[in-house]
């Protein structure tokens, strides 16, 4: 359905007329065009924004020029806005082998965002440091794993925005009312029955891949209602969200007892059963490398919680890693790790914090042969983008792999 017009408020009309400057005008034009494509009847105020397309490795010069133009056009955020990971650790990029030339470009990207009032904290887990919407709040987030987490675990409402539409929402404070902002599109459309035991992040990542692959290959877009998942930690859920979004393009699922609005829904008639052999097959697909081949180890896709960093410190205390080992997290969580003494322990082992960035968006294509990780999403992109073979292992085993 395509609406011919969108009902704009007088304030939104004044943005369209350019009364708040060219950047705000461009922003509302983008949102109006998007709303018309998807049949939105009006705009909705958003309480927070999370912007993707931050790494210069993905943006390139054309993307940077667009950001600089929006900043020069007087763009200013109207709501709390944070960023997805950038292409480098802003304070410690040299230790990660990132060139000075790349750093110059990456700093220009961040300067453009900063000029527009964006909080330049670069992370895919903004909900771990204060960009934490409440149940029912409308937001405009871009990172697929965070979008899935916000919709499915927090019960906030967001479509998966692109970089430009998220920035446009930040500069106007609104987003078109369509997709997952509306009740009718949040109904489950597929009942997934899980008959498998799920304990560690790779189990949840494999579940996301098993469901996601089936949705992509056989079914098309679906909102799954997932039965049979009794327990999941915050860390399991962020891993699952990253995986089901990567492999199935899923932005919203319902798990009874986890998804705040799931009680309002009955299981749909269309059913998919995922059993232990589906989980094992999904894992084996992501195990292309032998232990001997691994020359790179990375934890933190999505960005690590403080609890995960604490565990890394426990397992690395008094030991030396023998491989390049990146610990990826947000700067605020790293700050807590510093205060708790975890950073000192981890860095004494030779492992490196890769704060503000990750093993996928940093410019490291072809630099390593094979990567060990606990993240199904990281395995997918390590191979697809960076041409690394992969080993998907439980969290503690990833750390052991770094020590061998
Ligand atoms: Fe986050 Fe990078 Fe993974 S953005 S979800 S750590 S690919």
């Amino acid at each position: 359905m395509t609406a011919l017009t969108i009902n704009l408020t007088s304030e939104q009309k004044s943005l369209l007329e350019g009364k708040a400057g060219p950047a705000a005008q461009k922003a509302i034009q983008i949102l109006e065009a998007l709303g018309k494509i998807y049949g939105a009847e009006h705009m909705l105020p958003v309480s927070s924004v999370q912007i993707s397309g931050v790494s210069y490795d993905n943006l390139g010069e054309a993307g940077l020029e667009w950001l600089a133009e929006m900043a020069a056009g007087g763009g200013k955020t109207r709501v709390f806005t944070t960023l997805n990971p950038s292409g480098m650790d802003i304070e410690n990029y040299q230790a990660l082998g990132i060139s000075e030339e790349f750093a110059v470009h990456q700093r220009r990207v961040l300067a453009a965002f900063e000029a527009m009032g964006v909080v330049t904290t670069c992370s895919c887990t903004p909900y771990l440091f204060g960009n934490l919407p409440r149940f029912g709040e409308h937001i405009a987030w871009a990172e697929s794993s965070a979008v899935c987490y916000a919709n499915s675990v927090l019960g906030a409402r967001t479509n998966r925005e692109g970089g430009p539409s998220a920035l446009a929402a930040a500069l106007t404070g609104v987003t078109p009312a369509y997709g997952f902002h509306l009740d009718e599109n949040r109904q489950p459309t597929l009942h997934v029955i899980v008959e498998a035991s799920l304990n560690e992040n790779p189990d949840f990542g494999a579940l996301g891949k098993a469901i996601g692959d089936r949705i992509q290959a056989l079914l098309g877009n679906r909102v799954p209602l997932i039965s049979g998942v009794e327990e999941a930690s915050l860390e399991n859920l962020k891993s699952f969200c990253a995986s089901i979004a990567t492999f199935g393009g899923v932005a919203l699922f319902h798990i009874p007892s986890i998804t705040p609005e799931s009680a309002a829904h009955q299981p749909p008639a269309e059913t998919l059963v995922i059993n232990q052999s589906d989980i094992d097959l999904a894992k084996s697909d992501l195990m292309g490398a032998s232990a001997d081949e691994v020359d790179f180890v990375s934890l933190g896709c999505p960005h690590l919680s403080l609890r995960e960093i604490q565990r890394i410190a426990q397992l690395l205390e008094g030991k030396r890693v023998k491989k390049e080992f990146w610990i990826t997290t947000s700067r605020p969580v790293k700050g807590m790790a510093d205060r708790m003494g975890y950073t000192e322990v981890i860095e004494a082992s030779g492992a490196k914090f890769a704060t503000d960035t990750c093993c996928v968006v940093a410019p490291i294509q072809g630099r390593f042969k094979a990567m060990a990780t606990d993240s199904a999403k990281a395995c997918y992109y390590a191979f697809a983008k960076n041409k690394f073979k992969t080993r998907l292992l439980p969290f503690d085993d990833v750390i052991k792999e770094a020590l061998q």
Side-chain angles (χ1 to χ4, degrees), residues 51 54 98 109 147 161 171 195 216 312 316 336 338 378 398:
I51 298 176
V54 180
I98 306 298
V109 170
V147 164
E161 302 295 342
L171 301 185
E195 296 173 348
Q216 285 292 73
I312 296 169
L316 289 183
M336 290 191 280
D338 293 349
V398 173

Side-chain angles (χ1 to χ4, degrees), residues 143-384:
E143 155 57 31
S144 64
S145 66
V147 164
C148 189
Y149 192 94
N151 276 320
S152 315
V153 180
L154 303 177
R157 295 184 169 215
T158 181
N159 292 313
R160 185 187 173 187
E161 302 295 342
S165 65
L167 179 61
L171 301 185
T172 58
V174 295
T175 195
Y178 73 96
F180 292 116
H181 291 286
L182 306 181
D183 286 345
E184 61 263 34
N185 299 319
R186 297 180 70 85
Q187 311 282 329
T189 55
L190 172 70
H191 186 198
V192 178
I193 300 167
V194 179
E195 296 173 348
S197 96
L198 306 168
N199 300 301
E200 309 246 20
N201 285 347
D203 302 327
F204 284 86
L207 177 64
K209 175 168 163 48
I211 300 172
D213 284 349
R214 295 283 280 279
I215 286 178
Q216 285 292 73
L218 304 173
L219 304 168
N221 285 340
R222 290 290 189 280
V223 175
L225 186 152
I226 303 167
S227 308
V229 176
E230 305 306 336
E231 290 230 351
S233 65
L234 181 156
E235 289 79 8
N236 298 151
L237 288 168
K238 71 181 170 71
S239 201
F240 177 64
C241 288
S243 180
I244 198 167
T246 296
F247 294 99
V250 172
L252 166 65
F253 60 78
H254 298 261
I255 298 181
S257 83
I258 289 174
T259 307
E261 69 215 70
S262 66
H265 303 297
Q266 292 301 312
E270 188 178 24
T271 300
L272 169 67
V273 177
I274 298 290
N275 58 31
Q276 192 62 48
S277 64
D278 295 315
I279 300 290
D280 295 343
L281 181 65
K283 279 188 196 169
S284 73
D285 279 356
L286 302 171
M287 285 287 274
S290 67
D292 289 347
E293 289 176 298
V294 170
D295 55 354
F296 180 44
V297 176
S298 184
L299 284 171
C301 174
H303 272 175
L304 293 165
S305 66
L306 186 64
R307 183 161 53 183
E308 290 174 309
I309 296 174
Q310 179 191 42
R311 180 69 183 154
I312 296 169
Q314 283 168 350
L315 293 180
L316 289 183
E317 185 149 26
K319 301 181 180 133
R320 288 290 300 172
V321 299
K322 300 207 172 67
K323 289 164 188 151
E324 180 86 0
F325 184 4
W326 286 16
I327 316 267
T328 67
T329 193
S330 65
R331 183 96 11 218
V333 171
K334 162 78 163 34
M336 290 191 280
D338 293 349
R339 291 196 57 178
M340 293 304 296
Y342 305 149
T343 302
E344 202 179 339
V345 170
I346 288 168
E347 291 184 338
S349 78
K352 299 170 183 173
F353 272 88
T355 313
D356 324 304
T357 186
C358 79
C359 64
V360 170
V361 299
I364 55 172
Q365 291 92 331
R367 206 167 111 191
F368 302 102
K369 195 162 58 178
M371 181 178 85
T373 179
D374 71 334
S375 163
K377 175 176 180 175
C379 286
Y380 175 83
Y381 282 107
F383 183 72

Side-chain angles (χ1 to χ4, degrees), residues 5-9 12 40-43:
T5 55
I6 298 182
N7 295 317
L8 298 181
T9 62
Q12 291 156 10
E41 292 174 357
H42 58 93
M43 300 287 175

Side-chain angles (χ1 to χ4, degrees), residues 7-19 28:
N7 295 317
L8 298 181
T9 62
S10 53
E11 191 190 354
Q12 291 156 10
K13 282 180 189 159
S14 81
L15 297 181
L16 204 52
E17 288 159 7
K19 291 184 179 156
I28 197 77

